[in-house]
Amino acid sequence: MAQIFCIANQKGGVGKTTTTVNLAAGLAKLGHHVLLVDLDPQGNATMGSGINKHTLQKSVYDVLLETAEIPDVVIIPERLREVGAGYAVLGANRNLSGAEVELVREARRERRLQRALSRVAQDYDYVLIDCPPALNMLTLNGLCAAHGVIVPMQCEYFALEGLADLTQTIRKVYASLNRDLRLIGLLRVMFDPHIVLQKQVSERLKEHYGDKVFDTVIPRNVRLAEAPSHGLPGVVYEPSAKGSAAFMEFARELSERGIRT
Ligand code: ATP
Ligand code: MG
């Protein structure tokens, strides 16, 4: 049975997609079967996995509207499979932004993804859901479907404030919609140890959240930022880069920690 994780943070540009694609490829390299769900109309995780979002025949949009089943929509990028990092992608593009409006009259609209994933949970070890930078209906679908939330964050002053909103949302979803949902952990990303403020925020995080803070820290590393333009996760594009090594370490840490915490 798949362990299902949302990669979420309502703040934009904090590293959600970078985390999702690298974790997917990292877990695949470790021999796990992985499904990546792109739940963002920006389609960055789709493109970052080497799939052209503009030419998708079907996407996660069709799954949410129940006009297609997941096995008929997923794509395993050939270039990733060739190097032993293949994972299945349920892609997204801007069509998805219409889903919220189209589902507005539907009953149990926040459970569409959960229903669809429950039918394929046997086929994967991990499902990773890349959420959009908002606490909207799409993110809610992700949270309803997941066992846990992984929160990538930059160690900046306002990060802690945003975290309070997100943990409150997780608590609400837990209370009313999904009793399986828990905060798995906070992942410090784009970290620069030379910046004093980042070290201070990192310390505050550990004081506040204790072992909910993952041990692995992802450094700021330009190779991770270059990789998407080649349609590859960093861990495939340049495995020896510092950032890639950190994401492999994170894949190991997560597979050991799992949904226990
Ligand atoms: P959005 O909220 O728009 O979906 P996001 O949270 O998914 O954004 P990313 O797209 O992963 O964030 O990252 C934002 C930018 O930062 C991208 O250009 C990405 O390449 C870059 N980036 C992410 N992580 C790192 C890193 N560790 N080092 C350097 N650049 C990074
Ligand atoms: Mg993103």
Side-chain angles (χ1 to χ4, degrees):
M1 278 299 256
Q3 296 185 30
I4 305 176
F5 298 120
C6 267
I7 292 73
N9 188 329
Q10 75 278 19
K11 227 167 123 65
V14 293
K16 294 179 287 296
T17 301
T18 305
T19 299
T20 312
V21 297
N22 281 286
L23 183 58
L27 289 167
K29 279 188 167 195
L30 297 177
H32 298 293
H33 290 105
V34 182
L35 168 64
L36 183 156
V37 178
D38 190 350
L39 209 49
D40 186 344
Q42 296 181 98
N44 293 343
T46 303
M47 297 291 279
S49 302
I51 298 167
N52 186 349
K53 65 180 177 183
H54 303 291
T55 56
L56 282 179
Q57 300 283 320
K58 285 189 172 156
S59 71
V60 67
Y61 169 83
D62 299 274
V63 171
L64 293 179
L65 285 160
E66 295 180 343
T67 55
E69 297 278 344
I70 291 175
D72 303 327
V73 181
V74 294
I75 298 170
I76 303 177
E78 194 53 42
R79 280 168 76 202
L80 299 182
R81 200 205 312 250
E82 279 167 7
V83 295
Y87 55 87
V89 180
L90 182 54
N93 56 29
R94 56 194 296 191
N95 286 347
L96 184 58
S97 56
E100 191 153 12
V101 178
E102 284 162 61
L103 286 174
V104 95
R105 288 169 189 284
E106 304 288 331
R108 296 164 68 82
R109 58 186 177 275
E110 69 282 352
R111 296 215 184 263
R112 293 293 177 101
L113 184 63
Q114 180 198 35
R115 279 185 55 190
L117 282 177
S118 67
R119 296 190 198 117
V120 297
Q122 314 280 358
D123 303 343
Y124 300 100
D125 303 313
Y126 293 95
V127 177
L128 305 177
I129 305 170
D130 186 27
C131 290
L135 296 174
N136 58 14
M137 173 60 67
L138 293 169
T139 300
L140 193 58
N141 260 275
L143 294 175
C144 278
H147 300 115
V149 185
I150 295 167
V151 184
M153 55 183 301
Q154 289 172 260
C155 289
E156 288 171 351
Y157 182 66
F158 289 117
L160 293 165
E161 216 172 290
L163 207 51
D165 292 339
L166 182 59
T167 51
Q168 198 187 358
T169 302
I170 293 171
R171 271 198 294 275
K172 280 189 195 159
V173 174
Y174 170 82
S176 55
L177 293 164
N178 179 4
R179 281 288 177 181
D180 289 333
L181 190 68
R182 41 183 56 47
L183 175 64
I184 302 295
L186 309 172
L187 178 66
R188 291 162 287 174
V189 300
M190 298 190 225
F191 193 77
D192 183 344
H194 302 302
I195 300 175
V196 175
L197 176 66
Q198 293 210 1
K199 283 211 289 207
Q200 287 171 346
V201 173
S202 176
E203 287 311 312
R204 291 264 316 269
L205 261 187
K206 280 199 278 191
E207 282 163 26
H208 241 81
Y209 290 92
D211 58 8
K212 289 283 181 196
V213 183
F214 288 110
D215 293 333
T216 309
V217 176
I218 310 296
R220 184 172 284 284
N221 179 211
V222 70
R223 294 288 176 260
L224 292 174
E226 288 168 4
S229 66
H230 299 268
L232 293 170
V235 298
V236 173
Y237 170 65
E238 192 163 324
S240 61
K242 255 171 46 189
S244 306
F247 271 118
M248 284 309 300
E249 191 52 45
F250 179 53
R252 278 183 219 105
E253 183 180 358
L254 185 75
S255 57
E256 281 159 24
R257 181 189 291 225
I259 45 182
R260 281 176 285 116
T261 48

Coordinates of all heavy atoms in Angstrom, one line a residue, residues 9-19 40 42 44 130-134 152 154 189-191 218-228 243 247, ligand 1:
N9 N 2.9 24.0 0.9 CA 3.2 25.3 1.6 C 2.5 26.3 0.8 O 2.8 26.4 -0.4 CB 4.8 25.5 1.6 CG 5.1 26.7 2.5 OD1 4.4 27.6 2.7 ND2 6.3 26.6 3.1
Q10 N 1.7 27.1 1.4 CA 0.9 28.1 0.6 C 1.7 29.2 0.1 O 1.3 30.0 -0.7 CB -0.3 28.6 1.4 CG 0.0 29.6 2.5 CD 0.5 28.9 3.8 OE1 0.9 27.7 3.8 NE2 0.4 29.6 4.9
K11 N 2.9 29.3 0.6 CA 3.8 30.4 0.1 C 4.4 29.9 -1.2 O 4.7 28.8 -1.4 CB 5.0 30.5 1.1 CG 5.3 32.0 1.5 CD 6.2 32.0 2.7 CE 7.5 32.7 2.4 NZ 7.4 34.1 2.1
G12 N 4.5 30.9 -2.1 CA 5.0 30.6 -3.5 C 6.5 30.5 -3.5 O 7.2 31.2 -2.7
G13 N 7.0 29.7 -4.4 CA 8.5 29.7 -4.7 C 9.4 29.2 -3.5 O 10.5 29.6 -3.5
V14 N 8.8 28.4 -2.6 CA 9.6 28.0 -1.5 C 10.4 26.6 -1.8 O 11.1 26.2 -0.9 CB 8.8 27.8 -0.2 CG1 8.3 29.2 0.3 CG2 7.7 26.8 -0.4
G15 N 10.1 26.0 -2.9 CA 10.8 24.8 -3.2 C 10.0 23.5 -3.2 O 10.5 22.4 -3.1
K16 N 8.6 23.7 -3.3 CA 7.7 22.5 -3.2 C 8.0 21.6 -4.4 O 8.2 20.4 -4.3 CB 6.3 22.9 -3.3 CG 5.8 23.7 -2.1 CD 4.3 24.1 -2.3 CE 4.1 25.2 -3.3 NZ 4.7 26.5 -2.9
T17 N 8.0 22.2 -5.6 CA 8.2 21.3 -6.8 C 9.6 20.7 -6.9 O 9.7 19.5 -7.3 CB 7.9 22.2 -8.1 OG1 6.6 22.7 -8.0 CG2 8.0 21.4 -9.3
T18 N 10.6 21.5 -6.6 CA 11.9 21.0 -6.6 C 12.0 19.8 -5.6 O 12.6 18.7 -5.9 CB 12.9 22.1 -6.1 OG1 12.7 23.2 -7.0 CG2 14.4 21.6 -6.2
T19 N 11.4 19.9 -4.5 CA 11.4 18.8 -3.5 C 10.6 17.6 -4.1 O 11.1 16.5 -4.0 CB 10.7 19.3 -2.2 OG1 11.5 20.3 -1.6 CG2 10.6 18.1 -1.1
D40 N -0.8 21.2 -9.5 CA -0.6 22.7 -9.7 C -0.8 23.0 -11.2 O -0.1 22.5 -12.0 CB 0.8 23.1 -9.3 CG 1.0 24.6 -9.3 OD1 0.2 25.3 -9.9 OD2 2.0 25.0 -8.7
Q42 N 0.2 25.3 -12.8 CA 1.5 25.8 -13.4 C 2.2 24.6 -14.1 O 3.0 24.9 -15.0 CB 2.4 26.3 -12.4 CG 1.9 27.6 -11.7 CD 3.0 28.1 -10.6 OE1 3.7 29.0 -10.9 NE2 3.0 27.5 -9.4
N44 N 4.6 22.7 -13.2 CA 6.1 22.7 -13.1 C 6.7 21.3 -12.8 O 7.7 21.0 -13.4 CB 6.5 23.7 -12.0 CG 6.3 25.1 -12.3 OD1 6.0 25.5 -13.5 ND2 6.3 26.0 -11.3
D130 N 2.4 17.2 -5.5 CA 2.9 18.6 -5.6 C 1.8 19.6 -5.6 O 1.0 19.7 -6.5 CB 3.8 18.8 -6.8 CG 4.5 20.1 -6.9 OD1 4.8 20.7 -5.8 OD2 4.8 20.6 -8.0
C131 N 1.6 20.3 -4.5 CA 0.5 21.2 -4.3 C 0.8 22.6 -4.8 O 1.9 23.0 -4.9 CB 0.1 21.3 -2.8 SG -0.6 19.8 -2.2
P132 N -0.3 23.3 -5.2 CA -0.1 24.7 -5.7 C 0.2 25.6 -4.5 O -0.1 25.2 -3.3 CB -1.4 25.0 -6.3 CG -2.4 24.2 -5.7 CD -1.7 22.9 -5.3
P133 N 0.6 26.8 -4.7 CA 0.9 27.7 -3.6 C -0.4 28.4 -3.1 O -0.5 29.7 -3.1 CB 1.9 28.8 -4.2 CG 1.6 28.7 -5.6 CD 1.1 27.4 -6.0
A134 N -1.3 27.7 -2.6 CA -2.5 28.2 -2.1 C -3.2 27.2 -1.2 O -3.0 26.0 -1.4 CB -3.4 28.6 -3.2
P152 N 8.3 22.0 2.7 CA 9.6 22.6 2.4 C 9.5 24.0 2.8 O 8.5 24.7 2.6 CB 9.7 22.4 0.9 CG 8.4 21.9 0.4 CD 7.5 21.8 1.5
Q154 N 11.9 27.8 3.5 CA 13.2 28.6 3.6 C 13.3 29.2 5.0 O 12.2 29.5 5.5 CB 13.2 29.7 2.5 CG 13.4 29.1 1.1 CD 13.2 30.2 0.1 OE1 12.2 30.4 -0.5 NE2 14.3 31.0 -0.1
V189 N 15.0 24.1 3.1 CA 15.5 24.1 1.7 C 16.2 25.4 1.4 O 16.0 26.4 2.1 CB 14.4 23.8 0.7 CG1 13.8 22.4 0.9 CG2 13.4 24.8 0.7
M190 N 17.0 25.4 0.3 CA 17.7 26.6 -0.2 C 18.5 27.2 1.0 O 18.5 28.4 1.1 CB 16.7 27.7 -0.8 CG 15.9 27.2 -2.0 SD 15.1 28.5 -2.8 CE 13.5 27.7 -3.1
F191 N 19.0 26.4 1.8 CA 19.7 26.8 3.0 C 21.1 27.3 2.7 O 21.9 26.7 2.0 CB 19.8 25.6 4.0 CG 20.1 26.1 5.4 CD1 19.2 26.7 6.2 CD2 21.4 25.9 5.9 CE1 19.6 27.1 7.5 CE2 21.8 26.3 7.2 CZ 20.8 26.9 8.0
I218 N 18.6 20.9 2.8 CA 18.9 21.0 1.3 C 19.6 22.4 1.1 O 19.0 23.4 1.4 CB 17.6 21.0 0.5 CG1 16.7 19.7 0.8 CG2 18.0 21.0 -1.0 CD1 17.4 18.4 0.6
P219 N 20.8 22.4 0.7 CA 21.5 23.7 0.5 C 21.0 24.4 -0.8 O 20.4 23.8 -1.7 CB 22.9 23.2 0.3 CG 22.8 21.9 -0.4 CD 21.6 21.2 0.2
R220 N 21.2 25.7 -0.8 CA 21.0 26.4 -2.1 C 22.1 25.9 -3.0 O 23.2 25.9 -2.7 CB 21.2 27.9 -1.8 CG 20.9 28.8 -3.0 CD 20.8 30.2 -2.7 NE 19.6 30.6 -2.0 CZ 18.4 30.8 -2.6 NH1 18.3 30.6 -3.9 NH2 17.3 31.1 -1.9
N221 N 21.6 25.5 -4.2 CA 22.6 24.9 -5.2 C 22.1 25.2 -6.6 O 21.0 24.7 -6.9 CB 22.7 23.4 -4.9 CG 23.6 22.7 -5.8 OD1 23.4 21.5 -6.1 ND2 24.6 23.3 -6.3
V222 N 22.8 25.8 -7.4 CA 22.4 26.3 -8.7 C 22.1 25.1 -9.6 O 21.2 25.2 -10.5 CB 23.4 27.3 -9.3 CG1 24.7 26.5 -9.7 CG2 22.8 28.0 -10.5
R223 N 22.7 24.0 -9.4 CA 22.4 22.8 -10.2 C 20.9 22.4 -10.1 O 20.3 21.9 -11.1 CB 23.3 21.6 -9.9 CG 24.8 21.8 -10.1 CD 25.0 21.8 -11.6 NE 26.4 22.1 -11.9 CZ 26.9 23.3 -12.4 NH1 26.0 24.3 -12.5 NH2 28.1 23.5 -12.6
L224 N 20.4 22.5 -8.9 CA 19.0 22.2 -8.7 C 18.1 23.1 -9.5 O 17.0 22.7 -9.9 CB 18.6 22.2 -7.2 CG 19.3 21.2 -6.3 CD1 18.9 21.4 -4.8 CD2 18.8 19.7 -6.7
A225 N 18.5 24.4 -9.6 CA 17.7 25.3 -10.3 C 17.8 25.2 -11.8 O 16.9 25.5 -12.6 CB 18.1 26.7 -9.9
E226 N 19.0 24.7 -12.3 CA 19.2 24.5 -13.7 C 18.4 23.2 -14.3 O 18.0 23.2 -15.4 CB 20.7 24.3 -14.0 CG 21.5 25.5 -13.9 CD 23.0 25.1 -13.9 OE1 23.4 23.9 -14.1 OE2 23.8 26.0 -13.7
A227 N 18.3 22.2 -13.4 CA 17.8 20.9 -13.9 C 16.5 21.0 -14.6 O 16.3 20.3 -15.6 CB 17.8 20.0 -12.7
P228 N 15.5 21.8 -14.1 CA 14.2 21.7 -14.7 C 14.2 22.2 -16.2 O 13.4 21.7 -17.0 CB 13.4 22.7 -13.9 CG 14.0 22.8 -12.6 CD 15.5 22.6 -12.9
G243 N 23.4 19.7 -3.9 CA 21.9 19.7 -3.7 C 21.3 18.3 -4.0 O 20.4 17.8 -3.3
F247 N 19.3 15.7 -1.6 CA 17.9 15.1 -1.9 C 18.0 13.6 -1.8 O 17.0 12.9 -1.4 CB 17.4 15.6 -3.2 CG 16.6 16.8 -3.1 CD1 17.0 18.0 -3.7 CD2 15.4 16.9 -2.3 CE1 16.2 19.2 -3.6 CE2 14.7 18.0 -2.1 CZ 15.1 19.2 -2.8
Ligands
ATP1 P1 5.4 27.5 -6.6 O1 4.8 28.0 -5.3 O2 5.4 28.6 -7.6 O3 4.8 26.2 -7.0 P2 7.6 26.1 -5.5 O4 7.3 26.2 -4.0 O5 7.2 24.8 -6.2 O6 7.0 27.3 -6.3 P3 10.1 25.7 -6.8 O7 9.5 25.9 -8.1 O8 10.5 24.3 -6.4 O9 9.1 26.3 -5.7 O10 11.4 26.6 -6.5 C1 11.3 28.0 -6.8 C2 12.6 28.4 -7.5 O11 13.7 28.2 -6.6 C3 12.9 27.7 -8.8 O12 13.4 28.5 -9.7 C4 13.8 26.6 -8.3 O13 14.6 26.1 -9.4 C5 14.7 27.3 -7.3 N1 15.2 26.4 -6.2 C6 14.5 25.5 -5.5 N2 15.2 24.9 -4.6 C7 16.5 25.3 -4.8 C8 17.8 25.1 -4.2 N3 17.9 24.2 -3.2 N4 18.8 25.8 -4.6 C9 18.7 26.7 -5.6 N5 17.6 27.0 -6.2 C10 16.5 26.3 -5.8

